[in-house]
Amino acid sequence: MVLDTNSSQSTFFLIGIPGLEAAHPWVGIPFCLMYLVALLGNCALLLAIRLDPSLHNPMFYFLGMLGVIDVVMATSVVPKMLDIFWMGSPKIDFNACLAQMFLIHSITAMESGVLSAMAFDRYVAIGHPLRYEAILTPQRVAQIGLAVLIRGILFMVPLSCMVRRLPYCASKWIPHSYCEHMAVVKLACVDPASSHIYAMVGSTLIVGSDTAFIAVSYGLVLRAVRKLSEKTEQLKAFSTCTSHICVMLLYYLPGMASIYIQRFPQGTPPHIQVLLADLYLSLPPMLNPIIYSIRMKQVRKALCKVFPFAKGRVG
């Protein structure tokens, strides 16, 4: 094998879904539809939040952050996937591959941070309703959003530097639909142990701390709900959390399954591993705005105000 120490001048090739190359044109159809729904749904939700004063509160600001993250996530992955599936164009410049990897992994960290912030929002809204807007001021919401953004970037900067410094062998075929960290570093001609360890420790700390924070927040939510005198009040209070719980499960469960399968792939066919990873990045951006528009009356009303022609469909 020939070492390529000048990796910044290299070109990589994305296989797509290994073993399903003949079916790529058909596989691209559902991913294209998911992408279009994700774009339309999240952009409609963002526009409704921007234009409807009734949605100008912390909960919907966090929901807007989630919408932006979902749009960037889907856009960083699906167009290149469709280029592979439909145009047969697997080539990707090393710098573009590194940028895609940076976006994907930093944004997944950001989404986890926003979900933990939304759990805190639900605790404050239910546990301290009279102080809700005093605690979660627009300035504080912006500070939380900035902290989530910075954390995601800081997590990926060292990892990107590690990946850039690796020498790569003559083979530049990545057995994936996008530049996933594990798939890229496996092409290195040296042991990428430091990159593996950093990625594992970093992602474990981020996801572990966020899930612990969410668990504590919902423990406090349940305690606050139990203090309410009437059953109907309890149900009404907890019903405001159901959308967030659905979105949270949609993010964490497939993500953990995908990470576990890629770390311990024994017995799992490569095409299943890649399909699961592709769905993990494509399905939540499509379903998140649908979940919120179905579960939350405020969102439905706002969408009907902004898009009157959709009243019969959304309402």
Side-chain angles (χ1 to χ4, degrees):
M1 289 293 183
V2 178
L3 289 178
D4 182 2
T5 55
N6 191 14
S7 58
S8 63
Q9 301 302 317
S10 301
T11 299
F12 283 175
F13 300 89
L14 292 161
I15 288 177
I17 303 177
L20 294 182
E21 288 86 353
H24 275 174
W26 299 104
V27 175
I29 295 173
F31 280 102
C32 180
L33 292 175
M34 283 189 285
Y35 179 58
L36 292 176
V37 173
L39 282 184
L40 292 173
N42 284 290
C43 289
L45 190 59
L46 289 168
L47 189 61
I49 293 171
R50 174 69 179 85
L51 297 179
D52 194 324
S54 69
L55 301 186
H56 293 177
N57 66 56
M59 176 173 65
F60 295 106
Y61 293 150
F62 288 127
L63 181 56
M65 293 179 196
L66 189 66
V68 172
I69 286 171
D70 283 342
V71 169
V72 176
M73 172 70 80
T75 302
S76 66
V77 176
V78 179
K80 182 56 186 175
M81 285 170 52
L82 296 180
D83 195 29
I84 299 167
F85 294 161
W86 288 346
M87 302 299 164
S89 178
K91 185 185 295 186
I92 184 168
D93 179 75
F94 179 80
N95 289 325
C97 185
L98 197 66
Q100 187 187 53
M101 186 185 73
F102 185 94
L103 275 175
I104 292 168
H105 293 290
S106 61
I107 288 171
T108 53
M110 292 176 201
E111 184 156 3
S112 180
V114 171
L115 289 174
S116 62
M118 293 172 81
F120 177 68
D121 167 86
R122 289 300 81 208
Y123 160 65
V124 175
I126 294 171
H128 305 280
L130 298 180
R131 299 175 55 209
Y132 177 62
E133 293 189 359
I135 295 174
L136 288 172
T137 62
Q139 294 79 10
R140 192 156 293 161
V141 171
Q143 289 170 355
I144 293 172
L146 184 61
V148 166
L149 176 67
I150 292 173
R151 186 187 69 164
I153 292 173
L154 290 180
F155 163 63
M156 276 305 297
V157 167
L159 188 62
S160 298
C161 292
M162 291 179 191
V163 174
R164 177 178 284 278
R165 290 192 185 120
L166 290 172
Y168 293 90
C169 297
S171 174
K172 301 292 176 63
W173 285 92
I174 302 172
H176 219 292
S177 302
Y178 59 88
C179 290
E180 193 271 334
H181 167 252
M182 294 284 291
V184 172
V185 298
K186 283 180 181 177
L187 301 181
C189 295
V190 296
D191 184 11
S194 59
S195 174
H196 279 302
I197 293 170
Y198 177 85
M200 188 183 306
V201 171
S203 59
T204 301
L205 285 175
I206 288 174
V207 174
S209 60
D210 287 346
T211 51
F213 185 83
I214 290 170
V216 171
S217 297
Y218 272 103
L220 295 172
V221 166
L222 289 172
R223 189 175 71 174
V225 167
R226 288 178 62 186
K227 290 180 179 179
L228 298 175
S229 55
E230 296 183 10
K231 190 78 171 178
T232 53
E233 289 181 343
Q234 294 178 349
L235 293 173
K236 185 177 179 181
F238 196 74
S239 68
T240 64
C241 303
T242 54
S243 299
H244 175 254
I245 291 172
C246 291
V247 169
M248 184 178 61
L249 293 175
L250 187 63
Y251 171 80
Y252 283 112
L253 293 182
M256 289 177 180
S258 178
I259 291 171
Y260 178 82
I261 288 174
Q262 290 192 53
R263 296 286 180 187
F264 309 101
Q266 295 83 357
T268 306
H271 68 276
I272 297 297
Q273 298 177 40
V274 174
L275 271 174
L276 184 58
D278 291 346
L279 287 171
Y280 168 60
L281 298 182
S282 307
L283 197 59
M286 178 192 75
L287 292 179
N288 288 348
I290 295 174
I291 290 171
Y292 275 99
S293 62
I294 291 174
R295 296 292 307 172
M296 300 189 71
K297 188 180 292 186
Q298 286 172 280
V299 175
R300 292 200 302 273
K301 287 183 177 179
L303 288 172
C304 290
K305 286 181 186 177
V306 177
F307 305 102
F309 60 87
K311 188 172 183 179
R313 297 179 179 87
V314 178

